[in-house]
């Protein structure tokens, strides 16, 4: 450590000197190699179980296309032959045949594609609509009473009743079910987002933004939305298996996508009368539904934790 005696007798120009300003040096000093999404992926990759189920789910999706490509029969031109009914899995029929003698391999993998596509569309649709309305609901206090009453009105009636009425009045198809699920399913997402917005709307930086005249959309998208990423991801991950399970329940009740659009739920509903004698008809679609549900439960929790900035270092 320098002592006062070390500077005794020295002139000012010997003690001080002018440092020239360098933009390059300023940027280098203020530079940080932190990346939000890079940290998210890094934290997510540490969860080996989540990574395993992510790979398993992607492999399941890819194999569903490969399975139909290598199948011995084309699903679109399946031939019904009652003499081939209830054939157990063998070299000719890899998953056996159903009660009408149709190849079960083609049905299972085509139904897997339909169910996954429906679940992804509903999850994205619910998130987009729910986040938009949830941000406005939580930030604009004059609308809180209106949105709360709407939520309580719809939430007080069982979800299955809405879907049953829509199926009976409007009809049964892939498009109708997807739109119906999004039209009703966005409410829980909006409610959760609204509760989170209440926590952040009156923080100092948001008050400063309002005082400076920052537009509402910019406050919501820049100041508040980034804090909700983990909540949104978790809700989306939970929505995917929930959609498949709901579709399976509706199909079991005869209110699903319709017989012309096969799905995992429809396959499960068709075997309810004879799966005890022919368990393979239940095992294959039920196994796929179980894998998807478990995978998104584990991946959703892991990705939600990874997306939380408080877990970043």
């Amino acid at each position: 450590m320098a002592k006062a005696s070390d500077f005794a007798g020295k002139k000012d120009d010997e003690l001080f000197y002018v440092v020239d300003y360098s933009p390059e040096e300023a940027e280098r000093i203020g530079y940080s190699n932190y990346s939000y999404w890079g940290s998210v992926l890094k934290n997510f990759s540490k969860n080996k179980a989540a990574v395993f189920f992510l790979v398993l789910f992607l492999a399941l999706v890819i194999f569903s296309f490969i399975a139909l490509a290598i199948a011995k029969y084309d699903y679109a031109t399946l031939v019904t032959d009652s003499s081939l009914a209830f054939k157990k899995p063998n070299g000719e029929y890899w998953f056996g045949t159903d009660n009408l003698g149709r190849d079960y391999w083609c049905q299972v993998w085509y139904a897997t594609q339909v169910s996954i596509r429906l679940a992804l569309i509903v999850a994205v649709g619910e998130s987009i609509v729910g986040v938009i309305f949830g941000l406005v609901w939580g930030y604009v206090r004059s609308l809180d009473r209106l949105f709360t009453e709407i939520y309580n009105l719809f939430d007080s009636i069982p979800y299955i009743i809405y879907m049953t009425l829509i199926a009976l009045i409007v009809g049964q198809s892939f498009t109708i079910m997807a739109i119906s699920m999004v039209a009703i399913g966005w409410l829980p997402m909006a409610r959760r987002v609204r509760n989170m917005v209440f926590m952040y709307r009156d923080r100092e930086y948001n008050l400063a933004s309002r005082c400076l005249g920052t537009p509402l959309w910019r406050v919501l998208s820049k100041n508040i939305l980034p804090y909700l990423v983990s909540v949104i991801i978790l809700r989306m991950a939970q929505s995917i298996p929930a959609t498949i399970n709901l579709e399976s329940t509706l199909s079991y009740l005869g209110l699903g996508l319709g017989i012309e659009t096969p799905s995992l739920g429809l396959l499960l509903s068709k075997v309810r009368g004879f799966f005890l004698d022919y368990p393979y008809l239940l095992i294959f679609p039920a196994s796929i539904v179980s894998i998807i549900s478990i995978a998104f439960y584990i991946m959703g929790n892991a990705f939600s934790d990874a997306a939380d900035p408080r877990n970043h270092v």
Side-chain angles (χ1 to χ4, degrees), residues 52-223:
F52 169 77
F53 278 103
L54 174 61
V55 174
L56 180 62
F57 173 73
L58 294 177
L60 183 68
V61 174
I62 295 173
F63 186 75
S64 67
F65 291 93
I66 298 176
L68 292 178
I70 65 176
K72 296 182 179 181
Y73 300 92
D74 183 9
Y75 179 80
T77 57
L78 280 177
V79 178
T80 300
D81 187 354
S82 58
S83 64
L84 299 176
F86 298 122
K87 292 285 185 179
K88 294 184 178 180
N90 54 58
E92 178 68 18
Y93 301 100
W94 297 330
F95 278 4
T97 60
D98 63 4
N99 59 317
L100 298 178
R102 297 175 298 184
D103 181 38
Y104 208 50
W105 172 275
C106 292
Q107 294 187 69
V108 168
W109 292 113
Y110 187 83
T112 299
Q113 293 183 9
V114 172
S115 294
I116 292 177
R117 186 166 68 250
L118 174 67
L120 292 176
I121 291 174
V122 172
V124 173
E126 287 179 354
S127 299
I128 293 175
V129 178
V131 169
I132 293 174
F133 281 94
L135 289 172
V136 177
W137 182 4
Y139 197 84
V140 183
R141 292 191 174 180
S142 59
L143 297 177
D144 182 64
R145 181 64 179 273
L146 173 63
F147 278 101
T148 301
E149 293 300 329
I150 293 175
Y151 175 84
N152 292 334
L153 176 63
F154 281 93
D155 190 58
S156 61
I157 301 175
Y159 195 85
I160 192 72
I161 294 180
Y162 292 115
M163 300 305 300
T164 301
L165 292 175
I166 293 173
L168 295 177
I169 297 174
V170 181
Q172 297 173 248
S173 69
F174 183 92
T175 302
I176 292 175
M177 175 163 284
I179 295 175
S180 301
M181 287 184 172
V182 172
I184 302 173
W186 65 270
L187 287 167
M189 170 70 83
R191 178 74 176 188
R192 185 168 298 183
V193 171
R194 174 256 190 191
N195 294 338
M196 295 296 295
V197 171
F198 267 18
M199 298 172 56
Y200 297 106
R201 71 178 307 277
D202 290 329
R203 296 279 176 97
E204 290 80 0
Y205 52 87
N206 286 323
L207 294 175
S209 296
R210 291 205 295 269
C211 292
L212 294 173
T214 304
L216 175 60
W217 68 267
R218 186 171 181 83
V219 174
L220 294 176
S221 61
K222 299 296 184 180
N223 293 7

Side-chain angles (χ1 to χ4, degrees), residues 256-268:
L257 299 176
I259 59 175
E260 72 282 355
T261 308
S263 64
L264 294 174
L266 182 61
L267 295 183
L268 292 173

